[in-house]
Amino acid sequence: MPKVVSYKKGSIPYFENDRDDRIFILQKGSIQLSTIDPETKESVVNPVRPGEFFGVKSALGRFPREETATAITDSVVVCLSVQEFETNFSSNKQIILKMLRVFSSQLRQIHKKIESILQSAPEKPVTGMYSVAKNFYEDERYVSCYDVCLKFMQRFPTAVYIDEIKQMFKESHAYIQREPSVYDEYGIESDGSLRQFELPAFERFAKKYAPGQVIISEYEPGDTFYLIQKGEVQLLKCVNGSAKNLDILRAGEFFGEMAILDNSPRSATCMAKTSVKCLEFSKENFETLVTGNAQLALNLLKLFCKRIYDQHRRFKVLVINDTSARIADVFLLLHEMSPTYNAADTKIRLDATVSDIAHWAGLNIETTKDEISKLHEKRRIELFDNYIIVENISDMKRVVDLYNTQSDKNLQITMRYKTQTSVQ
């Protein structure tokens, strides 16, 4: 049963980095959520108003709290477990859609911060889609190039790049005719949780894709989203003319939902890694679908929680100024993201290449190679073609902790200097 809890002024319902599964609703009083911005090191404070939820993301996503909650006045809150939240609110259309839109906005803001750190200003849709098509063409991924060119011609038939797009389309099509795509076995299938979507009524939404086919292209306008029934979908992002792997999605997962919620261009390319069967839904039936299927709505909320946490975690990596500490934190990040993550592990395997490390660290490949070589020479890592063995992940954590401690000391010295200067 949900519990009503009173907090005296100054009390702390939870601290940053705490782990628990409680979700709160403020009934009376004033609660403040505070954290430190990883980039500016300044305090960020957000008030919670009566009737609002807090602690939702970390509880649903099952990751550490990202802020400290403090009672600014005597306050009364309702505490729910995740199961109680699901039971009481999963069918509440207004609350679920509001949370989805808030989480979508937060995720978009983190994306913008990351783009700023990487100094990669977002491209216009026409220029962006052209660069995606050209990247696939130059990589000789003709099936993917063909699909992006087709989407480009349908979306932007009079664009300045149209002649070049048509030429790439023609050449890609010629290659496909010589080497036609074939459907292979589907990847990992669902555990049965998608049974409700196997009814005949959903067949009209079904789409099939062969390996290499592009389902949605980065930068194209977003007017559909997808639920994977069978197979695996690879998420890619075009960075400085090179396609970077972001994630692999499997049966039961969604993609394309952000564009539906905030009317923004696609933020990544989604390509069939294996043969894929998925359900395609439009903006028009999105709300009906989500609010009519409680489990689907909850899965979407949990997905946003995970993506927000993952992106915020990467942002923390990118604001580290020391190259050694940044790469050490990438090792920690990739370890945390592993499906077999165990905090007690010491020697670990990361399924990543030097190029992948450079991508996650936001560093050029030469700088990354130099740093990786130093670690290899010191026998702190072992290098293989498609993976890296970290001999002791605790050593990497110590490097990051030392950097953070020194960074905090430098900040305190700077603040004291500014204070003394202003007094004089």
Side-chain angles (χ1 to χ4, degrees):
M1 288 288 292
K3 298 179 181 178
V4 177
V5 179
S6 297
Y7 288 98
K8 293 290 186 181
K9 177 181 178 180
S11 298
I12 309 290
Y14 60 79
F15 287 92
E16 186 173 359
N17 294 320
D18 281 355
R19 284 181 178 270
D20 67 58
D21 67 348
R22 293 177 298 166
I23 294 174
F24 302 86
I25 308 172
L26 179 59
Q27 280 195 324
K28 185 173 64 175
S30 178
I31 296 289
Q32 179 176 282
L33 306 179
S34 59
T35 188
I36 301 297
D37 186 288
E39 184 178 20
T40 65
K41 303 299 182 182
E42 295 179 355
S43 178
V44 178
V45 176
N46 291 302
V48 180
R49 298 175 179 82
E52 291 185 340
F53 289 81
F54 62 101
V56 177
K57 291 200 299 295
S58 54
L60 289 181
R62 300 189 183 282
F63 50 74
R65 300 290 192 187
E66 293 187 302
E67 70 284 314
T68 296
T70 306
I72 303 304
T73 63
D74 290 351
S75 302
V76 178
V77 303
V78 176
C79 297
L80 307 94
S81 67
V82 170
Q83 185 175 358
E84 288 166 345
F85 172 81
E86 293 178 359
T87 301
N88 289 281
F89 295 100
S90 62
S91 59
N92 189 310
K93 174 180 177 179
Q94 186 176 2
I95 287 176
I96 293 297
L97 286 175
K98 182 178 180 180
M99 283 187 176
L100 285 172
R101 290 195 171 96
V102 168
F103 290 172
S104 176
S105 175
Q106 291 177 359
L107 188 55
R108 188 67 62 179
Q109 290 172 11
I110 297 173
H111 281 165
K112 288 180 178 178
K113 284 186 174 183
I114 289 176
E115 286 175 343
S116 176
I117 289 289
L118 296 175
Q119 297 180 337
S120 57
E123 296 188 70
K124 294 180 179 179
V126 172
T127 306
M129 277 192 75
Y130 165 76
S131 66
V132 172
K134 189 173 182 180
N135 174 249
F136 282 134
Y137 180 79
E138 292 177 347
D139 283 352
E140 299 182 358
R141 298 161 84 166
Y142 296 113
V143 173
S144 303
C145 178
Y146 174 90
D147 288 336
V148 176
C149 287
L150 180 60
K151 291 174 181 293
F152 187 101
M153 291 187 294
Q154 292 171 339
R155 299 282 191 179
F156 311 111
T158 61
V160 65
Y161 301 108
I162 195 65
D163 289 339
E164 191 172 349
I165 287 288
K166 287 180 177 179
Q167 184 61 32
M168 288 191 291
F169 176 79
K170 180 180 178 180
E171 293 180 18
S172 297
H173 184 249
Y175 174 83
I176 292 170
Q177 287 183 315
R178 294 194 302 271
E179 301 286 342
S181 296
V182 294
Y183 286 91
D184 60 7
E185 292 297 316
Y186 289 112
I188 300 170
E189 296 193 20
S190 71
D191 58 3
S193 60
L194 296 178
R195 198 165 290 123
Q196 60 178 314
F197 297 106
E198 295 173 359
L199 298 173
F202 286 100
E203 274 303 305
R204 62 194 175 99
F205 301 113
K207 301 283 185 180
K208 291 184 177 181
Y209 298 89
Q213 284 194 286
V214 172
I215 305 169
I216 60 177
S217 170
E218 186 179 0
Y219 300 107
E220 74 172 315
D223 46 24
T224 51
F225 86 107
Y226 301 83
L227 168 64
I228 305 171
Q229 286 188 300
K230 297 179 180 180
E232 299 179 343
V233 174
Q234 190 163 21
L235 269 60
L236 306 162
K237 191 168 183 67
C238 189
V239 180
N240 299 323
S242 178
K244 302 295 184 182
N245 296 326
L246 299 182
D247 203 353
I248 293 177
L249 306 181
R250 298 177 173 85
E253 296 190 273
F254 303 89
F255 59 95
E257 72 290 334
M258 278 179 60
I260 287 283
L261 290 164
D262 61 11
N263 298 310
S264 56
R266 302 295 193 185
S267 60
T269 294
C270 300
M271 180 183 74
K273 185 174 186 290
T274 65
S275 291
V276 169
K277 182 182 179 184
C278 57
L279 300 180
E280 178 186 79
F281 300 105
S282 65
K283 286 184 179 181
E284 287 69 27
N285 53 36
F286 173 76
E287 290 192 12
T288 302
L289 179 70
V290 170
T291 56
N293 295 270
Q295 190 58 50
L296 186 149
L298 285 168
N299 287 345
L300 262 180
L301 281 177
K302 291 175 182 178
L303 173 64
F304 271 107
C305 293
K306 179 182 183 301
R307 289 187 179 170
I308 289 171
Y309 177 79
D310 287 348
Q311 291 300 305
H312 190 256
R313 180 68 181 85
R314 190 190 178 202
F315 181 67
K316 287 183 176 180
V317 170
L318 294 174
V319 298
I320 294 177
N321 293 322
D322 180 79
T323 302
S324 299
R326 188 186 291 195
I327 288 179
D329 208 20
V330 168
F331 290 148
L332 294 175
L333 168 65
L334 295 179
H335 179 43
E336 292 163 13
M337 292 172 65
S338 169
T340 58
Y341 172 70
N342 185 342
D345 289 342
T346 52
K347 186 173 183 176
I348 63 164
R349 167 177 167 155
L350 300 176
D351 292 320
T353 64
V354 174
S355 178
D356 293 330
I357 301 299
H359 164 65
W360 286 105
L363 298 169
N364 64 58
I365 191 68
E366 293 305 321
T367 300
T368 306
K369 283 181 178 178
D370 288 344
E371 195 61 40
I372 292 292
S373 295
K374 293 176 186 176
L375 292 171
H376 185 247
E377 289 170 3
K378 295 176 182 178
R379 297 184 179 180
R380 300 178 72 179
I381 64 171
E382 294 180 60
L383 278 176
F384 299 89
D385 289 342
N386 297 312
Y387 64 96
I388 296 172
I389 299 292
V390 179
E391 294 296 338
N392 190 340
I393 194 66
S394 297
D395 286 345
M396 301 301 166
K397 187 176 187 306
R398 280 191 283 272
V399 171
V400 177
D401 289 344
L402 180 62
Y403 168 82
N404 288 330
T405 300
Q406 189 60 49
S407 181
D408 290 342
K409 287 181 180 178
N410 291 340
L411 179 64
Q412 292 172 6
I413 292 171
T414 301
M415 293 302 294
R416 282 200 298 268
Y417 175 76
K418 287 182 177 180
T419 301
Q420 293 170 357
T421 304
S422 62
V423 171
Q424 292 174 357

